[in-house]
RNA sequence: GGAGAGAUGGCUGAGUGGUCUAAAGCGCUCGCCUCGAAAGCGAGUGGGCGGGUAGCCCCUGCCCCGUGAGUUCGAAUCUCACUCUCUCCGCCA
């Protein structure tokens, strides 16, 4: 969420930022009105509380000296009732203000290009060259099914649409990709591995911005307050929820493998075949907690870490910077690395790297102390996929397919595949 | 699932209705001492929300003893519910 003080003092900055996103900014006036009313009430009730504290002390003294305090007690009985009423009113206003603030998106960074939607995103670089096939390249779902390493039909039987069974070398390839990515990020990029729960409570979902606004995208365990995580970003960012970190701990880099669960409400009919859009998929996620002044450098490094995986797997890709209309609710700036997918004839998102600045930290209350004795400040949080495993699997099948239907294993992955060089039928 | 114990500041830990602003110790910061350090001595040492002035200081008020309700003129302290932790039993990968 945004800083209420920023909204209070510079409403026009916020208004303009929301307009650049193409967002309605009517809520702002409501925020300002609620904020003013809240502060007025707080002032009044605090005056009453001050009075109550003083008189309560007097009563204590009177009783001690054996004097009659019944008049004061009678007066305070009335004051206390009034305080209770006003406290309730303040609480109601707090709740309303909070609800409003949670629904306002982040302010895009000045370097983010203006644009109304994804068509105006900007390609910032391209690496690798899509391969010239001497034959008609097949889609990964055909390759995988033919090789017997993907089984969508049985997945539909045991669970439903948008689930996958990986089998044999396919199952191993999933495991290999996860290990390969995590090893790279821990050994070469300085990330500490964590393995968090895949179910989190409501506060965690609010902390990273999935709730309350995007509830219909989540799976919730019936009869509980637990949600299946849509990304490791949720448990990992919430690791430090409500904490004040020591400056010497920063920056914190975490890498986490988790399964991810998404209801995909509203995307019926989109990407119905293959691994691109599943209800459950694997992802290796990178999460950073950094000092504010470093967060944009850290974002560039984060994108580089994700790209490194693509380079090592020798997959052609490009990096796109999202415009103001497509930057995402919580992000101030976002890059999407996209991998070349031959059967699509275009680049497909395989990672998403964002700087949230203090937007998540404010919701999740994650601070650090810049210097001993100094006031705590909010950290900046960042995260990015490094990478989405299912889509990487698909990209390998498509880019490394051979005319005979087999798939070559990228060299970097072979140590994780028992030195297997090629997946063949049977 | 059953039984019991517990939750207080960075940590340990006292505090069972008003003697305020939560004792004490440890840790940390600063100062004195010292060639320097240790010891010793002294001082300081949380978070949040308002108001005044001011964009950082400062003055002032309110709130925070796991969370939320309640009793009371007044709650860390009494009552209820919930959450979490620990011990034992049962079940279990």
């Amino acid at each position: 969420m945004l800083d209420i003080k920023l909204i209070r003092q510079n409403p026009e900055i916020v208004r303009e930022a929301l307009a650049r996103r193409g967002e309605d900014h009517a809520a702002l006036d409501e925020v300002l009105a609620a904020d003013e009313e809240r502060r007025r009430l707080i002032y009044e009730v605090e005056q009453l509380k001050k009075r109550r504290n003083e008189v309560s002390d007097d009563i204590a003294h009177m009783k001690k000296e054996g004097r009659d305090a019944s008049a004061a007690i009678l007066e305070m009985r009335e004051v206390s009732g009034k305080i209770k009423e006003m406290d309730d009113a303040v609480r109601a206003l707090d709740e309303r203000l909070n609800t409003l603030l949670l629904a306002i998106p982040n302010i895009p960074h000045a370097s983010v290009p203006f644009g109304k939607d994804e068509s105006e995103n900007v390609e910032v670089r391209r690496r690798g060259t899509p391969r010239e096939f001497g034959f008609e390249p097949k889609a990964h779902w055909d390759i995988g099914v033919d090789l017997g390493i993907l089984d969508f039909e049985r997945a539909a039987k045991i669970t439903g649409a948008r689930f996958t069974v990986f089998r044999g070398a396919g199952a191993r390839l999933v495991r290999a990709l996860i290990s390969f990515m995590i090893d790279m990020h821990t050994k070469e990029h300085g990330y500490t591995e964590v393995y968090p729960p895949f179910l989190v409570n409501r506060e965690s979902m609010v902390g990273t911005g999935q709730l309350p606004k995007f509830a219909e995208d989540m799976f919730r365990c019936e009869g509980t307050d637990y949600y299946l995580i849509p990304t490791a970003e949720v448990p990992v960012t919430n690791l430090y929820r409500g904490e004040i970190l020591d400056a010497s701990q920063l920056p914190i880099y975490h890498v986490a493998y988790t399964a991810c669960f998404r209801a995909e409400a509203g995307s019926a009919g989109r990407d119905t075949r293959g691994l691109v859009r599943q209800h459950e998929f694997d992802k290796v996620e990178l999460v950073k907690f950094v000092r504010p002044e470093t967060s944009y450098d850290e974002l560039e490094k984060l994108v580089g870490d994700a790209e490194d995986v693509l380079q090592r797997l020798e997959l052609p890709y490009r990096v796109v910077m999202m415009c103001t209309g497509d930057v995402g609710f919580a992000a101030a700036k976002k890059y999407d690395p996209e991998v070349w997918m031959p059967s699509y004839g275009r680049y497909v998102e395989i990672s998403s790297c964002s700087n949230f600045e203090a937007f998540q930290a404010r919701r999740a209350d994650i601070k650090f102390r810049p210097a001993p004795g100094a006031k705590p400040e909010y950290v900046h949080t960042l995260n990015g996929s490094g990478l989405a495993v299912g889509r990487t699997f698909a990209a390998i099948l498509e880019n490394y397919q051979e005319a005979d239907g087999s798939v070559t294993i990228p060299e970097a992955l072979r140590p994780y595949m028992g030195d297997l060089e090629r997946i063949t039928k049977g």
Side-chain angles (χ1 to χ4, degrees), chain A residues 22-212:
Chain A
E23 284 268 343
D24 176 43
H25 49 72
L28 270 193
D29 293 321
E30 240 187 294
V31 168
L32 287 168
D35 176 54
E36 202 178 319
E37 173 72 0
R38 174 178 172 275
R39 283 185 294 148
R40 190 183 62 76
L41 261 178
I42 283 177
Y43 184 76
E44 278 183 34
V45 73
E46 284 187 356
Q47 295 302 309
L48 286 181
K49 284 180 179 174
K50 184 183 177 190
R51 169 91 181 133
R52 181 177 67 182
N53 289 342
E54 288 166 353
V55 176
S56 288
D57 267 5
D58 293 344
I59 292 172
H61 284 111
M62 282 189 261
K63 289 209 157 185
K64 205 172 176 184
E65 293 160 18
R67 289 188 286 142
D68 175 39
S70 53
I73 289 177
L74 217 61
E75 185 203 339
M76 284 308 102
R77 195 170 293 173
E78 207 169 302
V79 170
S80 276
K82 183 94 180 151
I83 287 174
K84 196 166 291 178
E85 276 173 36
M86 293 177 74
D87 270 345
D88 286 344
V90 170
R91 198 169 309 118
L93 271 172
D94 272 344
E95 222 162 277
R96 173 143 152 263
L97 191 58
N98 206 35
T99 304
L100 289 168
L101 285 175
L102 287 177
I104 295 176
N106 204 352
I107 295 175
H109 188 253
S111 63
V112 173
F114 176 80
K116 64 179 185 307
D117 57 34
E118 68 210 32
S119 67
E120 298 187 68
N121 292 339
V122 176
E123 179 177 313
V124 291
R125 60 184 162 272
R126 202 177 270 230
R127 294 281 184 276
T129 312
R131 176 178 152 202
E132 295 286 347
F133 290 93
F135 54 93
E136 185 62 31
K138 292 193 286 187
H140 67 271
W141 52 86
D142 288 329
I143 302 167
V145 169
D146 289 346
L147 284 172
I149 61 174
L150 292 180
D151 188 343
F152 296 105
E153 287 187 17
R154 288 197 178 95
K157 176 172 69 181
I158 61 177
T159 306
R162 294 196 192 282
F163 288 88
T164 307
V165 173
F166 296 90
R167 189 180 181 111
R172 179 151 194 186
L173 181 55
V174 171
R175 198 155 47 86
L177 282 167
I178 294 167
S179 293
F180 168 71
M181 291 176 193
I182 292 179
D183 283 355
M184 217 175 132
H185 295 306
T186 55
K187 289 177 187 165
E188 296 172 33
H189 301 146
Y191 292 78
T192 302
E193 185 175 0
V194 293
Y195 188 89
F198 294 3
L199 267 61
V200 297
N201 57 30
R202 158 167 269 275
E203 294 81 72
S204 294
M205 292 291 259
V206 172
T208 33
Q210 281 74 21
L211 291 178

Side-chain angles (χ1 to χ4, degrees), chain A residues 212-229:
Chain A
K213 208 173 173 177
F214 304 104
E216 68 283 358
D217 296 333
M218 309 301 149
F219 285 110
R220 179 175 177 182
C221 295
E222 194 177 2
T224 73
D225 189 36
Y226 294 150
Y227 294 80
L228 275 66
I229 55 171

